Amino acid sequence: MTGQTLSPRAMLDRLVAFDTTSRDGNLPLIAFVEEYLSSWGVKSIRVDYEAGKTNLYATIGPDIAGGIVLSGHTDVVPVDGQDWASDPFKVDERHGRLYGRGTCDMKGFIAVALAMVPQFRAAQLTTPIHLALSCDEEVGCRGVRPLVAHMRDHLPKPRAVIVGEPTSMKVVNAHKGAFTFATEVKGHEAHSSATHHGVNAIMVAGELLSELSRIRRDLEKRGDPSRRFDPPYTTVHVGLIEGGTAKNIIPRRCNFLWETRLLPNEDPDEVTSRFGDFARTLEPAMRAVAPGTGIVTQRTNVVPSLAPEKDSPAEHLALHLAEANGTHAVSYCTEAGLFQEIGIPAIVCGPGSIDQAHKPDEYIEIAELERCGHFMRKLIRHCAA
Ligand SMILES: [Zn+2]
């Protein structure tokens, strides 16, 4: 069976042309990939996330356990408000670089993997190579979760996952995890002159923010025993706050969104229970003024960290394929921790630099795609042996 042959560059052109901004979904891109794969006799399945958003899982080689998963997200961050020198959804080559939204994060990796499918097919693989293409990664690694659950419950268990996020082809065996929260302070409205009759939600929020700052400083002082992360500690951050209606009304509501990014193996309950305990100390005085007042915090998302694993087959393989002799740690999150959570060793290694991700004039060096191609050719030899 022979299908369409596309170079990595031509494949990247096709992938970038699909505007897969997370909010808009990825179905046209997935339909294109399905058709391309089936033209090479490769079966794939969809695991849906939400309307207009789906994940794709394909197997090349025998339908058995012990395979290698090449994993990438198909969604990209928005170009809204960014000043681009060229059309972000049309790959533009300038000075050895390919510009376009997603070239680096992370359609470059997916393009190389897809362009190699004819070679994967020709190689008589004894170890299967799987492609796992996800949606809605850029909004908290949400989309891939039904696919991960499907893999855990229904598919032969792979031996390793390579998540091709941009690492400049360095092997990353650890990243931080992210816990995100929404806190709502329910106060009590009154005329601003009658402070004794109101509960000022903004000022209560201010006390909560001070506690988060104290927690942040304590974590910073404790630092990172592994000394591998930048910054070398668990972080706490508040990203958005809103509350109040007018200068002369004691505000009834104040909400803020915050997160903590934890070093692997650090206990998330430490931050949340300390914050919760502090919140509980504020409530009696609030309720003495108005009974319906209080502080409610909801956890809105969790992206697990990637913890280094001793003798990880994913790490051994990636070091061999990338011809690298050391591993690295990064502070951004990926889907790797979700695969690790279901017992599949995972590693992050892909072309392009994270420094170019999410920015206007995002680009990938052509040389990076070539290095990724070399990595894939070694993978074929490994899986055909
Ligand atoms: Zn990414």
Side-chain angles (χ1 to χ4, degrees), residues 19-28 30 46-55 74-75 135-136 139 142-143 146:
D19 175 355
T20 52
T21 306
S22 309
R23 63 181 172 229
D24 298 325
N26 66 343
L27 295 186
I30 293 293
R46 286 186 186 199
V47 179
D48 289 341
Y49 171 55
E50 282 180 348
K53 299 173 181 181
T54 195
N55 302 288
T74 61
D75 61 319
C135 57
D136 259 20
V139 287
R142 293 171 190 271

Side-chain angles (χ1 to χ4, degrees), residues 188-191 193-200 250 289-290:
H188 187 70
E189 227 161 31
H191 190 279
S193 64
T195 50
H196 57 310
H197 291 317
V199 176
N200 188 319
I250 292 176
V289 177

Side-chain angles (χ1 to χ4, degrees), residues 60 68 70 112-113 115-127 129 317 320-321 373-385:
I60 304 137
I68 310 299
L70 302 175
V112 174
M116 301 291 281
V117 163
Q119 293 166 63
F120 293 161
R121 284 286 284 147
Q124 310 289 340
L125 301 178
T126 50
T127 297
I129 294 175
L317 176 65
H320 165 68
L321 300 179
H374 183 67
F375 180 99
M376 297 285 182
R377 282 186 290 278
K378 288 189 74 165
L379 176 66
I380 293 175
R381 286 200 289 279
H382 176 85
C383 291

Side-chain angles (χ1 to χ4, degrees), residues 73 75 104-106 137-138 164-166 332-334 354 357-358:
H73 63 82
D75 61 319
C104 165
D105 185 14
M106 54 177 292
E137 189 274 348
E138 295 289 7
E165 290 277 0
Y332 54 88
C333 290
T334 77
I354 196 71
H358 299 198

Side-chain angles (χ1 to χ4, degrees), residues 77 82 84 97-105 166 168 351-365 368:
V77 295
Q82 294 185 340
W84 282 71
R97 296 169 172 177
L98 302 173
Y99 288 84
R101 173 53 85 226
T103 48
C104 165
D105 185 14
S168 306
S353 162
I354 196 71
D355 294 342
Q356 271 84 54
H358 299 198
K359 288 185 182 162
D361 295 331
E362 173 181 349
Y363 69 83
I364 191 163
E365 306 265 355
E368 283 286 303

